[in-house]
Amino acid sequence: MGTHPSLPSRDVATQRTLLDLVQENQALVSPEIVKLYGQKLPFLLKVLSIRKALSIQAHPDKKLAEQLHAKDSKNYPDDNHKPEMAIAVTPFDGLCGFRPLAEISHFLSTIPSFRALVGDSVAAKFESAVKGNETSEVEADVKKNKAALRDVFSSLANASQDAVASAAKELLASAKQEGDRFAGGGCQSNTGKELAELVERLDGQFPGDIGLFMLLFLNFVKLEPGEGMFLQANVPHAYLSGDIIECMASSDNVVRAGFTPKFRDAPTLISMLTYSYAPIEAQKMSPSDYPYATLSAAAYSSSSSCLLYDPPIDEFSVVKVDLKKENAKATFDALQGPSIIICTQGEGKISVGPKTEVIKEGYVFFVGATAEVVLESTSGEPFVAFKAFCELSGTEGGKL
């Protein structure tokens, strides 16, 4: 949902694209946003329903995106960066960022096929380089750790297809035979059983894929409905299962590494990653009450809420609206920027000025800048909607 030229949203009644509409009337987006991003929405809103793992990938920062697009516009169709945020609608799991270094060392010492594939000497060099300083925050130690992580990850990423296929057979056999004893019984973040089941599940989807080993470098995260995580540019990740709301800068650029039949670009991936490492908690987001929505008495008395997911970038934020009672209402202050609202549960009304429309599961609305919006539940079932927006000035404290 948005104005990206590959598939812009369309007005249901006229079939005109949203891109046409905002280019015809820049006031819908706001002069400030047009000045910075052009006459288009700076964000894309998506609903992903993931039954099969999506590729292990990373998105380039702005400078690299421009370089990749100039060099290979077929595989890198945009010159824009693509930071993104995921909010779980149903239970979700995925891979996100590099694990703590001690966990990677543990896997190298307890999973023989993993150590053999990266190379014993490379593994030993990594273990020696990070030992005792895995969690050090001293700048020299962090720099040394990142270099060591890059070397060992590069060794895996550059492994031959034959070597990966052979090692994957051993890995799968170990996972099936060892069960909860797999990977030495697991690590602080994940049990051996959890990891064994993950290897078996993903091998069933992508047999013998290099991603089966890359997952041992990455945090395995589970989100419950309402939990979210933010992914900066140049951070490796993969969405494995579940339904999510995803919001991102308006770009299609992806550098893929595993779990995909599409174009893989290992040299670019190796060079672009930041090699930051941390427990998954570092990626998770903590939403806060959205201060620019007023709840009616019916909404307030039923513990309805408007929660703000506010990543550290300008292009987008998202508010999750939960109205838990019939006639519960949330009135949103006017913004100096555009919004897209999608309902994911229940039924209600959406009002802008004198105009009121029905909104229910799957319905999507665009709201132009400076418009006050009212959402109201009209059934006994909980009403849930997500409102993605961009505002560079005005009331939005996080985007001033």
Side-chain angles (χ1 to χ4, degrees), residues 117-137:
L117 188 58
V118 302
D120 185 63
S121 61
V122 174
K125 185 179 176 184
F126 170 78
E127 291 163 337
S128 174
V130 304
K131 190 172 183 179
N133 293 314
E134 292 94 339
T135 58
S136 172
E137 296 181 5

Side-chain angles (χ1 to χ4, degrees), residues 123-312:
K125 185 179 176 184
F126 170 78
E127 291 163 337
S128 174
V130 304
K131 190 172 183 179
N133 293 314
E134 292 94 339
T135 58
S136 172
E137 296 181 5
V138 176
E139 187 176 346
D141 292 338
V142 172
K143 187 176 180 181
K144 183 182 175 185
N145 286 348
K146 286 185 176 182
L149 180 55
R150 174 177 171 145
D151 287 346
V152 71
F153 183 77
S154 301
S155 183
L156 171 64
N158 286 320
S160 72
Q161 262 189 309
D162 288 345
V164 171
S166 176
K169 289 179 182 177
E170 293 180 37
L171 180 70
L172 183 62
S174 296
K176 287 180 174 178
Q177 291 166 11
E178 295 170 15
D180 57 6
R181 294 180 290 107
F182 180 67
C187 57
Q188 185 172 344
S189 301
N190 307 113
T191 66
K193 182 181 180 184
E194 193 173 37
L195 290 165
E197 289 174 348
L198 183 61
V199 167
E200 288 189 58
R201 168 163 53 117
L202 294 175
D203 183 77
Q205 297 175 11
F206 294 93
D209 193 90
I210 195 170
L212 299 172
F213 294 96
M214 287 186 171
L215 70 84
L216 299 170
F217 279 104
L218 305 178
N219 286 302
F220 178 49
V221 58
K222 294 184 176 182
L223 299 180
E224 293 301 317
E227 290 189 308
M229 64 181 183
F230 176 66
L231 296 160
Q232 293 275 14
N234 303 324
V235 171
H237 61 278
Y239 298 152
L240 303 181
S241 70
D243 295 350
I244 61 171
I245 293 290
E246 186 184 36
C247 199
M248 67 201 71
S250 187
S251 172
D252 257 355
N253 279 337
V254 179
V255 182
R256 299 179 184 86
F259 298 144
T260 180
K262 296 180 182 179
F263 174 67
R264 303 187 192 202
D265 191 349
T268 297
L269 186 82
I270 290 165
S271 66
M272 72 186 277
L273 298 180
T274 62
Y275 296 98
S276 296
Y277 48 90
I280 190 55
E281 285 70 27
Q283 257 81 36
K284 283 189 177 182
M285 301 184 72
S286 297
S288 58
D289 287 332
Y290 181 63
Y292 305 112
T294 303
L295 296 177
S296 66
Y300 188 78
S301 65
S302 58
S303 300
S304 297
S305 63
C306 295
L307 293 177
L308 174 66
Y309 299 78
D310 195 24

Side-chain angles (χ1 to χ4, degrees), residues 226-396:
E227 290 189 308
M229 64 181 183
F230 176 66
L231 296 160
Q232 293 275 14
N234 303 324
V235 171
H237 61 278
Y239 298 152
L240 303 181
S241 70
D243 295 350
I244 61 171
I245 293 290
E246 186 184 36
C247 199
M248 67 201 71
S250 187
S251 172
D252 257 355
N253 279 337
V254 179
V255 182
R256 299 179 184 86
F259 298 144
T260 180
K262 296 180 182 179
F263 174 67
R264 303 187 192 202
D265 191 349
T268 297
L269 186 82
I270 290 165
S271 66
M272 72 186 277
L273 298 180
T274 62
Y275 296 98
S276 296
Y277 48 90
I280 190 55
E281 285 70 27
Q283 257 81 36
K284 283 189 177 182
M285 301 184 72
S286 297
S288 58
D289 287 332
Y290 181 63
Y292 305 112
T294 303
L295 296 177
S296 66
Y300 188 78
S301 65
S302 58
S303 300
S304 297
S305 63
C306 295
L307 293 177
L308 174 66
Y309 299 78
D310 195 24
I313 56 166
D314 286 333
E315 282 94 334
F316 60 85
S317 300
V318 174
V319 175
K320 182 184 184 218
V321 185
D322 278 290
L323 300 177
K324 299 182 179 179
K325 185 178 181 181
E326 188 173 0
N327 299 322
K329 187 185 298 185
T331 302
F332 290 85
D333 295 354
L335 296 174
Q336 299 303 313
S339 302
I340 289 180
I341 299 173
I342 179 169
C343 175
T344 59
Q345 184 182 349
E347 187 169 344
K349 295 187 293 188
I350 180 170
S351 302
V352 175
K355 188 173 184 179
T356 298
E357 299 271 359
V358 170
I359 181 171
K360 55 186 177 181
E361 186 175 327
Y363 280 35
V364 182
F365 290 86
F366 170 76
V367 180
T370 72
E372 181 183 273
V373 185
V374 181
L375 291 174
E376 181 179 356
S377 175
T378 57
S379 73
E381 181 187 0
F383 174 90
V384 181
F386 291 85
K387 180 180 188 285
F389 64 90
C390 175
E391 185 180 49
L392 303 178
S393 61
T395 56
E396 255 324 290

